[in-house]
Amino acid sequence: MRVSSNWTKLPPPLFSKVVILLIDALRDDFVFGSKGVKYMPYTTYLVEKGASHSFVAEAKPPTVTMPRIKALMTGSLPGFVDIIRNLNSPVLLEDNVIRQAKAAGKRIIFYGDETWVKLFPKHFVEYDGTTSFFVSDYIEWLDHIGHISGPNSPLIGHKLSEMDSVLMKIHTSLLSKDRETLLPSLLVLCGDHGMSETGSHGASSTEEVSTPLLLISSAFERKPGDIRHPKHVQQTDLAATLAIGLGLPIPKDSVGSLLFPVIEGKPMREQLRFLHLNTLQLSKLLQENVPSYEKDPGFEQFKMAERLHGNWVKLHLEENHSDILLGLGTKVLRQYLGALKTLSLSLSTQVAHYDIYSMAVGMLIVLENAADASSGWSEVNLLLLLGTVGHVLSLGASSFVEEEHQTWYFLINTLCLALSQETCRSYFLRDECEPQRHFHVEQKRVNVLACTLQDSTSCNTPESEIAGKRVSLLEAQGSCKWWTVLASPWLVLICCRLLRSLNQTGVQGAHRPDFSHWLTSSDHKVQLSGLAALSLAVIFMLVQRRCSLVSKVALALGLLGVFCYRAATGIVQFPWQPDNKGISKGIIEARFVYVFVLGILFTGTKDLLKAQVIATDFKTKTVGLWEMHSGLVLLAALLLRPHNLPVLAFSLLIQTVMTKFIWKPLRHDAAEITVMHYWFGQAFFYFQGNSNNIATIDISAGFVGLDTYMEVPATLLTVFGTYVGPVLWASHLVYFLSSEGNNGSTLSRACFCYALICSVPVATYIVLVTSLRYHLFIWSVFSPKLLYEGMHLLITAAICAVFTATNQTRHMRV
């Protein structure tokens, strides 16, 4: 007699309905830690004594909402490009639990983040979506509270208590309806991602990837004394579990494993059947993606489990209920579980779809641009050359990528020491043959300094008259005391050292206490207010000197509006302001500042256009460029958090010191000045508290002054708020080179130089990431860095467009 069993036929569902309560940015310790005990008592009861199974689900980076929803519903691992798509989620085309449920005729109702509605359009019979990108809304969203105030904010406790009440209402309702159905219901409590200690997310720290997963059902009744500690699982395991629980096919691209406690109480035959369905699906996925799948340990374990399972079925159909059947069943069970673990791990590292053609095309485009830019490369001093090349080479090591800020801090400090040595040599060792530092323009020595010592309006000396001239360094310093020039590199070095203490960044030092944490604590609001006010005053003094009267007034009112905005949001306070004053979103105050930002930018643009018409009006052009720079400074002051305003003030101070005491007296050429601006821009990117970690992006900057989510303004403001350092130093570079009376050739070479030093690291990094695409840290380290570099390249393209436009203005006047 031949016996057979249809193992692959879908089994009946385990649950009549499933309710998923997903809380944005719910960290595991918010449920299983002290906060859970304090603010979520009902949930804590369910975890410790109720009919439930609890897990700590690991979310793979990038830990942002849309990729995590995809992982939960498809069981697959999204790529880092989904960080960009997260801003405007496209339709999810991959096989997923929602699609399978709809195909099976199940009614799906949704309330919450509209990202779900965008991912699954026409899937819900009833829905009500709300935008999740309005970060200033800290009433509805736990995630937004984290972005604004961090995980230790008092608002977190209120939100957790509210969610605990919601969970209790849903659970009570489900229990009452379970009496009317044959099958029990399932309530799932989970988070899409966690939250770092600064309140952000996107990277791979333990706080960001650890989320609670609580499965609640009357089917999970526990006996007295049955203690169930949370087990560590993968977030992708939920898709396979929900599919089995609802009697649906497992999504074909899922790399997750069925959560075994869900079926642990079922008969052995059903347990083995469920596990076989899961391992069969994973083995098929392995066959589709790995040519040598037969040699994979997980596949070998699966085939062994399948053979043992066949033997067990034969014994079972023969109605053999001996200990042999039980022992064999237990062995098959262990074999399946081992195969599931091995297959899931193998697929998680190997099933990554790479578009090699597109990667190669992008690589060639960037390399071609770098090759084009190299034609304008001029000799720079040894430090700038070796430092730039060394930084590019360091990108091949994950540790150097994680701690890249240390590279730039070292380079800037070394540059200050080299400049100090150069100033000392120039002043103490000068003789008749003084160092001939000059701007090279088309192989001619053009002493721009002879022009800049005069009033900029009279800078129209013919090139033939100043070619070959030399001005002594004592003349070049003008009215500056010799000791101020000698001390200037050390002043810059001291400023950089102070800024390093403000924000700890990277991976190794991010957890260390820094001055910003001290300032942002509620006990030090007075000190933060004083420092913010002082920084704004310094910013005004450094910027207003070259502005027109109208722009000076606008700048002063704008900076005052910045402080008023932060006072309205409760972060700083005026001396006469009571501590218990109510806070707001500061919409009116922020828009007040935007008016002055646009006004200053408009004035600068008008002056630039005027300079195109009046050929001899050189001063109008330089004033216009400075006012454009001033408008960007005011915008940066508005978007930066108050504790980072000293970063902006120090940036302007260093620009002033370097211009007056280093670049002009020492007569550095355009290439050297360009590289120095690039170095300082990169250093200030990290002084601001940024890193190559997605979690350090301050997305709240994108919602300053907005009362609703608007995609384009929010994106542009977030990008500018992140890249304030590089943008402001590039803006200053355009102004400085233009104000020195350089001709179009010098500006073109500076543009080529800037494009080169920006594109070469990107081109090199694309090659590295392509070759390391199966590296252990590809998603947690290398991919986030590639996103940062890609965005930096776009900003560089915009800066080069400004260079070109300024250069064309120069040509029109010639």
Side-chain angles (χ1 to χ4, degrees):
M1 176 180 173
R2 183 179 177 183
V3 296
S4 63
S5 175
N6 189 357
W7 297 349
T8 58
K9 183 179 179 181
L10 285 176
L14 301 176
F15 307 103
S16 60
K17 67 173 64 175
V18 173
V19 176
I20 301 176
L21 178 58
L22 188 150
I23 303 176
D24 198 359
L26 186 66
R27 248 166 48 169
D28 65 318
D29 60 334
F30 287 178
V31 174
F32 303 134
S34 58
K35 282 188 174 67
V37 174
K38 183 176 181 180
Y39 299 113
M40 305 186 76
Y42 188 78
T43 305
T44 301
Y45 167 79
L46 291 176
V47 170
E48 296 178 350
K49 300 179 181 179
S52 67
H53 290 293
S54 54
F55 308 89
V56 175
E58 179 184 351
K60 298 294 185 183
T63 48
V64 293
T65 297
M66 192 272 279
R68 295 302 94 221
I69 295 174
K70 288 178 64 175
L72 287 166
M73 294 296 103
T74 66
S76 62
L77 298 174
F80 257 84
V81 70
D82 286 318
I83 291 182
I84 307 300
R85 295 173 180 168
N86 186 60
L87 298 173
N88 189 10
S89 306
V91 177
L92 182 58
L93 301 178
E94 297 176 52
D95 190 18
N96 58 80
V97 175
I98 299 293
R99 178 187 296 176
Q100 293 287 1
K102 186 175 186 297
K106 297 185 181 296
R107 295 178 70 252
I108 311 174
I109 300 173
F110 172 77
Y111 298 98
D113 187 348
E114 64 179 6
T115 302
W116 287 78
V117 181
K118 294 178 180 179
L119 289 172
F120 309 105
K122 302 180 182 179
H123 285 69
F124 306 121
V125 297
E126 181 182 335
Y127 66 88
D128 183 13
T130 58
T131 180
S132 62
F133 284 105
F134 185 44
V135 176
S136 297
D137 175 13
Y138 43 78
I139 302 300
E140 296 185 17
W141 298 91
L142 177 65
D143 180 49
H144 297 178
I145 297 173
H147 283 298
I148 298 295
S149 308
N152 298 316
S153 167
L155 296 173
I156 291 286
H158 295 302
K159 180 56 63 175
L160 292 178
S161 297
E162 179 186 341
M163 293 296 100
D164 190 57
S165 300
V166 171
L167 179 74
M168 182 174 66
K169 291 178 181 178
I170 295 174
H171 186 224
T172 304
S173 176
L174 289 176
L175 288 177
S176 64
K177 294 181 179 180
D178 277 354
R179 304 186 186 97
E180 304 170 4
T181 58
L182 295 177
L183 293 175
S185 57
L186 173 66
L187 174 58
V188 179
L189 172 67
C190 61
D192 53 350
H193 53 75
M195 181 189 300
S196 70
E197 286 303 314
T198 60
S200 191
H201 57 87
S204 56
S205 68
T206 302
E207 294 81 9
E208 292 168 81
V209 302
S210 300
T211 65
L213 176 59
L214 185 61
L215 305 182
I216 307 164
S217 174
S218 57
F220 305 148
E221 289 292 346
R222 68 173 85 184
K223 298 177 182 178
D226 182 7
I227 300 175
R228 300 173 180 175
H229 297 289
K231 301 176 182 178
H232 285 263
V233 298
Q234 296 298 313
Q235 198 178 55
T236 49
D237 295 340
L238 183 62
T241 304
L242 291 178
I244 293 294
L246 292 171
L248 304 172
I250 299 174
K252 64 184 186 66
D253 294 324
S254 170
V255 298
S257 302
L258 171 65
L259 297 175
F260 182 67
V262 174
I263 62 169
E264 199 169 13
K266 299 295 179 182
M268 179 66 74
R269 181 175 182 178
E270 292 185 34
Q271 292 184 37
L272 297 181
R273 186 179 179 186
F274 294 138
L275 293 174
H276 177 263
L277 283 173
N278 197 181
T279 48
L280 179 65
Q281 174 262 325
L282 291 179
S283 66
K284 288 181 178 179
L285 186 61
L286 185 74
Q287 294 176 48
E288 294 172 1
N289 292 275
V290 181
S292 57
Y293 67 91
E294 293 181 343
K295 299 179 181 179
D296 189 273
F299 187 81
E300 293 177 351
Q301 285 180 284
F302 164 65
K303 300 308 290 185
M304 174 63 73
E306 201 172 42
R307 286 194 293 271
L308 292 174
H309 191 180
N311 295 335
W312 185 90
V313 170
K314 290 179 181 178
L315 286 175
H316 178 75
L317 293 177
E318 293 172 0
E319 297 184 355
N320 188 334
H321 300 292
S322 64
D323 293 338
I324 298 177
L325 181 67
L326 179 61
L328 180 59
T330 303
K331 184 177 181 180
V332 177
L333 194 69
R334 287 199 300 266
Q335 192 73 20
Y336 270 134
L337 291 175
L340 275 176
K341 183 177 180 179
T342 307
L343 282 171
S344 180
L345 180 62
S346 178
L347 287 167
S348 296
T349 56
Q350 298 186 56
V351 182
H353 299 284
Y354 298 99
D355 188 343
I356 300 298
Y357 174 77
S358 297
M359 294 168 70
V361 170
M363 191 187 311
L364 290 175
I365 291 175
V366 176
L367 287 172
E368 182 180 355
N369 290 337
D372 291 342
S374 64
S375 62
W377 180 259
S378 62
E379 182 181 6
V380 296
N381 66 46
L382 189 61
L383 172 62
L384 294 175
L385 176 62
L386 293 180
T388 303
V389 173
H391 165 255
V392 173
L393 296 177
S394 72
L395 298 178
S398 61
S399 297
F400 277 94
V401 174
E402 291 177 332
E403 306 298 325
E404 187 181 358
H405 61 287
Q406 299 286 9
T407 301
W408 289 113
Y409 294 166
F410 171 77
L411 292 177
I412 289 298
N413 292 344
T414 307
L415 175 62
C416 290
L417 295 176
L419 291 174
S420 175
Q421 186 264 348
E422 189 175 26
T423 56
C424 290
R425 184 178 65 246
S426 299
Y427 276 88
F428 294 115
L429 302 179
R430 65 178 183 272
D431 53 22
E432 295 299 321
C433 299
E434 291 181 340
Q436 298 181 14
R437 312 285 316 212
H438 46 270
F439 287 90
H440 298 272
V441 181
E442 299 173 350
Q443 279 121 31
K444 296 179 182 178
R445 295 192 305 125
V446 181
N447 194 338
V448 180
L449 213 53
C451 180
T452 58
L453 289 176
Q454 306 170 16
D455 187 88
S456 59
T457 58
S458 62
C459 190
N460 53 10
T461 306
E463 188 173 309
S464 59
E465 294 183 15
I466 60 176
K469 287 187 179 180
R470 269 187 280 164
V471 178
S472 71
L473 294 176
L474 289 177
E475 292 179 57
Q477 77 178 46
S479 61
C480 301
K481 299 294 184 180
W482 65 270
W483 60 267
T484 58
V485 178
L486 294 177
S488 56
W490 295 97
L491 175 61
V492 174
L493 187 64
I494 293 171
C495 292
C496 292
R497 184 61 189 90
L498 291 174
L499 288 173
R500 289 182 61 178
S501 303
L502 182 62
N503 292 300
Q504 292 286 356
T505 186
V507 174
Q508 301 298 326
H511 64 283
R512 297 172 185 167
D514 53 34
F515 192 44
S516 66
H517 283 88
W518 184 85
L519 285 172
T520 53
S521 67
S522 58
D523 296 332
H524 303 118
K525 182 181 289 188
V526 173
Q527 290 85 345
L528 177 61
S529 302
L531 183 61
L534 177 62
S535 299
L536 291 173
V538 172
I539 292 170
F540 175 75
M541 294 302 299
L542 293 172
V543 174
Q544 58 85 28
R545 295 174 299 129
R546 300 183 182 93
C547 291
S548 63
L549 179 60
V550 174
S551 295
K552 287 181 181 180
V553 174
L555 180 65
L557 293 176
L559 292 174
L560 178 61
V562 170
F563 195 90
C564 292
Y565 164 69
R566 292 301 178 181
T569 58
I571 300 177
V572 300
Q573 63 183 27
F574 287 101
W576 58 85
Q577 184 177 330
D579 293 335
N580 58 353
K581 179 184 179 295
I583 63 174
S584 69
K585 297 175 183 177
I587 303 296
I588 296 176
E589 292 84 353
R591 291 179 177 176
F592 176 80
V593 179
Y594 281 133
V595 170
F596 292 113
V597 170
L598 294 175
I600 296 173
L601 292 176
F602 174 78
T603 303
T605 304
K606 182 191 68 175
D607 289 341
L608 289 178
L609 294 176
K610 181 180 178 181
Q612 289 184 347
V613 178
I614 305 175
T616 59
D617 198 356
F618 178 71
K619 183 177 181 180
T620 301
K621 177 190 173 184
T622 56
V623 171
L625 286 172
W626 183 257
E627 288 180 334
M628 296 285 287
H629 180 66
S630 303
L632 295 178
V633 169
L634 179 56
L635 179 60
L638 175 63
L639 300 183
L640 290 177
R641 301 205 180 200
H643 72 270
N644 268 334
L645 288 175
V647 177
L648 182 58
F650 275 120
S651 177
L652 296 170
L653 177 62
I654 292 174
Q655 288 174 358
T656 303
V657 170
M658 295 291 287
T659 298
K660 188 171 183 179
F661 302 119
I662 301 294
W663 294 322
K664 287 185 178 181
L666 295 181
R667 291 177 255 181
H668 290 98
D669 63 32
E672 291 174 325
I673 292 174
T674 300
V675 176
M676 289 185 201
H677 273 81
Y678 174 78
W679 279 23
F680 274 104
Q682 291 297 99
F684 273 88
F685 174 83
Y686 294 103
F687 284 146
Q688 184 183 334
N690 290 320
S691 70
N692 292 320
N693 185 324
I694 300 297
T696 55
I697 297 177
D698 182 12
I699 64 173
S700 65
F703 302 89
V704 174
L706 302 182
D707 55 4
T708 185
Y709 174 62
M710 292 184 285
E711 183 176 340
V712 175
T715 301
L716 293 177
L717 290 174
T718 301
V719 171
F720 179 78
T722 303
Y723 290 91
V724 161
V727 170
L728 289 184
W729 277 88
S731 172
H732 184 270
L733 174 63
V734 176
Y735 163 77
F736 177 80
L737 294 179
S738 299
S739 66
E740 292 301 295
N742 297 302
N743 63 11
S745 176
T746 302
L747 288 175
S748 296
R749 293 178 61 212
C751 179
F752 282 137
C753 180
Y754 196 87
L756 179 70
I757 57 180
C758 289
S759 58
V760 166
V762 180
T764 305
Y765 202 69
I766 290 175
V767 176
L768 287 172
V769 171
T770 302
S771 61
L772 297 173
R773 61 187 182 274
Y774 297 114
H775 193 279
L776 177 63
F777 300 136
I778 185 63
W779 298 118
S780 59
V781 178
F782 293 108
S783 292
K785 172 61 177 175
L786 184 60
L787 287 177
Y788 274 108
E789 289 294 335
M791 183 56 66
H792 192 197
L793 190 62
L794 291 177
I795 294 173
T796 301
I799 292 169
C800 289
V802 174
F803 267 109
T804 304
T806 305
N807 192 22
Q808 288 179 348
T809 302
R810 177 80 182 182
H811 284 178
M812 292 179 66
R813 303 201 328 261
V814 173

